[in-house]
Amino acid sequence: MSTLLVKNIHTLATMDATRREIRSAALFVRDNVVEQVGTTLELPTTADEVLDLQDRYLVLPGLVNTHHHFYQTLTRVVPAAQTCDLFNWLQTLYPIWARLTPEAIAVSAQMAAAELILSGCTTASDHLYIYPNGSRLDDEIAAVQAVGLRFHASRGSMSVGQSLGGLPPDSVVEREADILQDSQRLIEQYHDNTRHAMLRITLAPCSPFSVSPDLMRESAALARSYPGIRLHTHLAENKSDIEYSLATFGMTPGDYAESVGWLGTDVWHAHCVQLDDRAIQQFGKTGTGVAHCPCSNMRLASGMAPIRKMLNHQVPVGLGVDGSASNDGSNLLNEARTAFLMARVRELDAAAMTARDVLELATRGGAKVLGRDDIGYLAPGMSADFIAVNLDRPELAGAQHDPVAALIFCQVNAVDYSFINGQKIVDQGMLLTVELPVLVEKHNELANQLMQS
């Protein structure tokens, strides 16, 4: 048993049931679990490890990333895809992604995880749906575990290629029987449904335009035959997505999701930019979640998701940075700030989204979307996942009167400390689990090979 005391916190934003913000605060952790939260005067004075923040830091729960494609760090800013919308962007990049290798999957996963952690993320879901040249989800899992991120690994899939009316080339799709068999293997080999789990598996057929309704139904049945397995896919991302759904299935995306059993508290959909009002109401009634990815939605000109309306209808909403080839970054603090600004522009209302609203999406919201009751806020019994930001940095000068709001209103790109599962992963801005210069060099080498093949 080991203990950790973090004391003399300037402001602790707990995000707990009453959304307490405590000045001169402290956290006491035993192993990987928060044991006490309060003021420095109220908590123990000693521990195996003591971190004195000297009344200069904001501390809050680690941020939760609900949608990503880690492998896309290898294909940022591809010239031919820089001015494409979603479908043309995908068709430009599929042939490049077809050259991915197990090593490329692993190295890109570590790069994405590192970037996420440095930007405040402590739990992330990744959607890996392409497995060329012997690549497996196992390659990504091992790589991410070495970095120390709490991880929800999604077994994505594509089964409907161009010859069957789908968007991806036939060379990158799989047989549905093989997808389901591998999905079952991964669940049985890796999924941990215990409290404070560091690794969980999700089943995630890629999108309505790349898998069949049968695979959607069978994936749902498989997931629901095991405890704690969730379902994830892309839905209603842009107007072409709507047109494809109407032409192919004779249904809107919301109705299609309902027809294949993809509504419920164990399901979350990425984007939902063009989700209609009836579907929003159904999502709210059924507890179906949404991963909001504003940077990617703007980059691909998909539109602005009606997040305020979703929240008003009790739809669970979390944030996602999406792939690093449609966002071209994996910075979750930046994603939160963008979501905050986008909501105000979309509604033409400066009160449509507050800084604390968006921090809730980034913490408690993401936890709910991922089906977690052990992360997203700081209270006794919760996982010891938290981050700290030095308030004396230049971009926060003059904002000491409300440091919680300042984290979103001001441009903060990185955290100073990150603890995940009670372990220090970032120390004074330095990632402790991987050598970043070595990782960057290897990553760039693989990215160059991918582009030149």
Side-chain angles (χ1 to χ4, degrees), residues 187-203:
I187 291 169
E188 295 179 353
Q189 183 171 343
Y190 291 109
H191 183 67
D192 181 357
N193 201 43
T194 63
R195 190 168 174 81
H196 312 300
M198 287 293 288
L199 177 62
R200 290 185 178 168
I201 299 295
T202 298
L203 299 191

Side-chain angles (χ1 to χ4, degrees), residues 403-415:
V404 177
L407 189 67
I408 298 301
F409 272 92
C410 305
Q411 185 71 50
V412 178
N413 289 315
V415 299

Side-chain angles (χ1 to χ4, degrees), residues 1-6 27-35 47-51 62 122-123 148-150 196-198 374-375 378 382-387 417-426 432-433:
M1 300 286 283
S2 64
T3 55
L4 165 69
L5 173 66
V6 183
L27 280 172
F28 188 82
V29 174
R30 192 175 301 275
D31 285 345
N32 61 334
V33 179
V34 175
E35 192 170 281
D48 297 323
E49 180 182 358
V50 178
L51 177 61
T122 56
T123 299
L149 184 67
R150 195 180 297 275
H196 312 300
M198 287 293 288
D374 52 358
I375 62 170
L378 297 171
M382 298 298 287
S383 299
D385 292 6
F386 57 93
I387 55 178
Y417 291 97
S418 177
F419 287 79
I420 305 176
N421 207 38
Q423 301 299 306
K424 187 189 293 180
I425 305 297
V426 175
L432 301 179
T433 49

